Amino acid sequence: MLKGRSLLEPMDFTTSELEELFQLADKIIECPQKYTKACEGKLMATLFYEPSTRTRFSFEAAMLRLGGQVIGFSEPNSSSVAKGESISDTIRTVACYVDLAVMRHPKEGAPKVAHLSTDMPVINAGDGGHQHPTQTLTDLLTIKKEKGHFDNLTVGLCGDLKFGRTVHSLIKALSRYNNIKFILISPEELRLPNYVIKEVLIKNNIEFKEVQKMEEVIHDLDILYMTRVQRERFFNEEDYIRLKDRYILDLEKMRLAREDMIVLHPLPRVNEIAVEVDSDPRALYFKQAKYGMFIRMALIMSVLGVTC
Ligand code: CP
């Protein structure tokens, strides 16, 4: 039962709880009109201390499509955060008005602080370079719909594996399935953090290799998960400029990939996928963004305990 639960990191839900979410998302995709009043009378707050397009809009669209309502901010300086209010006081106040809060914050652990300050469900919509569990739900639903299973997949993760919170969350989530292999494609400076390598990959005996050249491994992949180099997390602009265009997926590289490989990206993209790739049927990142709304509809219904 997910009723009343917060989602702070991908492992908060068991694989069978995730399966329930995927099944509900499937039903919503098949017949969205059945759910247009599911959350009537419910109110959700979106507290975004960092910019967002997909996560905030898809959460808000999800709640509105379920017949619920939304309040919140996308610019914290328009709230009493600008006067120095703590996360704890903000969430305790917001909980007086709404049934569910979705929070994005540049500080790692901020949504957990919010969760510990209230009985209301809190959803982590991305905390610093740490985790982004609802992007992971989006990625998993996309993989399930497009590949049909999670087992026996070779997943290439390419780009900024150091700061890319979506990568950290996805590796954690996929580590629970059978015979998953990861190929980690990054420059030395943007390697996957050691704590993820040790605590997730090595601890769970998961096969992985680290490489610097995409061309050498693209043919082996079932999924290529591209990521943006995260300018906002660099301390030094020169390092960002040096690394930002290191990987550019173009049609030439796509020709080296298998016909059934799929390309995912949490978006936004900058230069890492050439626009010419968008028309390749294997490029699924905009479809992935749409799945994100449906899985968030399922998540909102589940944590609010509404059925239809
Ligand atoms: N994928 C993702 O988190 O996108 P936004 O930053 O636009 O929400």
Side-chain angles (χ1 to χ4, degrees), residues 51-56 104 132 135 266-268:
S52 167
T53 298
R54 276 143 295 273
T55 312
R56 186 168 70 86
R104 169 170 289 189
H132 193 347
Q135 180 64 47
L267 302 179

Side-chain angles (χ1 to χ4, degrees), residues 220-236:
D220 299 330
L221 304 179
D222 297 300
I223 299 169
L224 174 58
Y225 193 92
M226 294 295 295
T227 62
R228 169 180 71 94
V229 175
Q230 311 250 317
R231 181 181 206 155
E232 64 276 30
R233 316 243 181 259
F234 274 76
F235 294 113
N236 180 334

